[in-house]
Amino acid sequence: MSVSNATATSISHSEKRTLWRFLGLYAFLTLLILILGSTIYYNLQKDLMLQTKRLQLEEYSKELIDGLKLLHIYFDRYRTYPRNPLYRSAIYDADKVRIFSTLKHPEGVQLDKVIYITDHVIHYIHVLDSYYLGAKYVVVEIDDDRTWMMQTWRNILLYGGATLVLFLLSGVMLVRLFLAPMRHAIHLLDRFIKDTTHELNTPVNAILSNIEMIDHSRIDPKEAKKIRRIEIAARTVSHIYQDLTYLILHHQIASQDVKVDLSALLKERIEYFRILADSKKIGIETDTQPGVTLVVDPGKMARLVDNLLSNAIKYNRRGGEVFVRLRPGELLVQDTGIGMDEKQIGEVFKRYKRFDTSVGGFGIGLNIVAMIAQEYGFKIDIHSKIAKGSEVIVRWDV
Amino acid sequence: MGRLSVTILLILSALQGSNVNVYERNCVACHRHVSPSLEKLFFDYLLKYSSERRVKRALADYLKHPTKKRSVASEEVIQKYGLMPKTWLRDTDLHKAIDTYWETYKVFGKIK
């Protein structure tokens, strides 16, 4: 299980995703409408152009029919087809057989239409009442200079583009409008958590520092046991406080990386958690190589170690074992707890994911571990067996 | 004398099979002297019926059942020259004659 799979779901991230999804759908629908509108506009422009050309073509066809009439009458003397450099033409009989043609594109002439464009030429078809030379259909052909098409495309691109931009802008505004109440609620919740967290710090620290000041030798063992319980509870609250502070503030605080003696840090954190482990009769075995160092933010490294140890204790059985091993480039934390199946391992880094709600916490521990690992490029491997226990191995480049 | 008669008979029967002769003997022979001319009539048919198929069908129809209604000639022409008598040709000969008539005056391939 690699860290890259662990997505640190932040509010702004999901908001962006929603925004993009909505804009995608919105842009698609807008494009669909624009394409439909453009097609209608294009066809209208084409029809308009053909209507204008039709008048001219009708004149040409009348001229041609006059020529055909003369040719029909004087066919015994003249046999030259009436031609004009302004247009090309063809004549077809009632069975649509071509009698004569000067067309550039005689193939595929559509005699059942009146006017149409094909292969950059415009064809106009006139049906005769008197079939001079047997011609029922007269086809007049002129070149299509395509200026109308250029103009139409320019308009479509110009106005279509402007409309698309306008729609997209209004789409963005709409999304922001819809998201505003949600943002507001999240902002309020954020502030509430921040304030609450801040207010927790002072009393918890007061409790812990005062417990440390108590001289255990001067109080009777019964009282000492109660004070120990108070200390465990206070440390748990302190741990939650540290996690919440990290989650809320980690975006705003730049990492202050220094060379950290991991062996010493680990020893200190194990000692800190030993009291918690003792309360569950869990033994902590260690195999730490001294002098293992790493350039990292000590606060963040402490959060990583704390969360691994906290989980190993929290999800362990009563009287279980926790094994911690430290080598250059590798930290292993093993427990004899409830374990996880493959599906659970896949979801372990998700925020607010808790596999056992009977134990305390918010399900943010491993999410924090994943975020820190991602920041420093650590690789995390998790192996686990149900009812046997889990082991988490953090690896880094030496 | 008998030999000469046989020769003429042979020539006539040879000619009988030819399309041209059916047309020449039955159409041209008469219209050469009687108006309207075959060419004029052909262009009148073309003007009214347009295509080869339609012209030939109309011609056959008229020749078999000549009526004022079926004629392409004007009222005056009919009054002046009268309607043609009903053809006595067999259908095959009639079609042969009409085919020759079409081939003689058709405009296909003649326009420049």
Side-chain angles (χ1 to χ4, degrees), chain A residues 47-98:
Chain A
D47 286 348
L48 191 73
M49 181 279 296
L50 287 178
Q51 286 307 317
T52 318
K53 293 280 180 192
R54 187 177 167 160
L55 295 171
Q56 183 190 354
L57 287 161
E58 270 175 9
E59 285 305 311
Y60 290 159
S61 72
K62 273 180 199 162
E63 183 194 291
L64 178 70
I65 292 162
D66 287 344
L68 288 174
K69 189 175 178 179
L70 285 174
L71 192 63
H72 182 94
I73 296 165
Y74 300 110
F75 199 71
D76 51 341
R77 276 173 272 172
Y78 309 107
R79 294 192 171 176
T80 311
Y81 185 78
R83 288 175 172 84
N84 189 323
L86 291 174
Y87 59 87
R88 297 170 295 276
S89 64
I91 48 175
Y92 290 78
D93 70 17
D95 287 333
K96 299 182 176 173
V97 177
R98 190 164 66 232

Side-chain angles (χ1 to χ4, degrees), chain A residues 108 231 291:
Chain A
E231 193 178 355

Side-chain angles (χ1 to χ4, degrees), chain A residues 291-306:
Chain A
V292 177
T293 57
L294 184 65
V295 178
V296 72
D297 185 310
K300 287 185 178 175
M301 201 61 204
R303 297 276 17 92
L304 188 142
V305 172
D306 277 12

Side-chain angles (χ1 to χ4, degrees), chain B residues 3-70:
Chain B
R3 189 173 284 179
L4 187 70
S5 317
V6 169
T7 314
I8 290 169
L9 205 70
L10 277 173
I11 292 169
L12 277 176
S13 58
L15 288 173
Q16 189 76 24
S18 143
N19 293 352
V20 180
N21 263 4
V22 179
Y23 167 68
E24 287 284 338
R25 276 186 292 107
N26 298 291
C27 311
V28 180
C30 209
H31 276 275
R32 192 177 286 150
H33 311 290
V34 181
S35 280
S37 75
L38 279 173
E39 187 170 10
K40 162 111 183 47
L41 276 172
F42 182 85
F43 278 88
D44 284 349
Y45 267 95
L46 215 50
L47 194 67
K48 192 172 177 183
Y49 295 103
S50 176
S51 68
E52 178 181 355
R53 182 182 57 86
R54 287 165 47 139
V55 165
K56 284 181 176 177
R57 196 177 58 193
L59 262 171
D61 209 22
Y62 173 74
L63 292 173
K64 282 196 255 180
H65 313 283
T67 60
K68 269 188 188 176
K69 207 179 163 190
R70 287 196 177 98

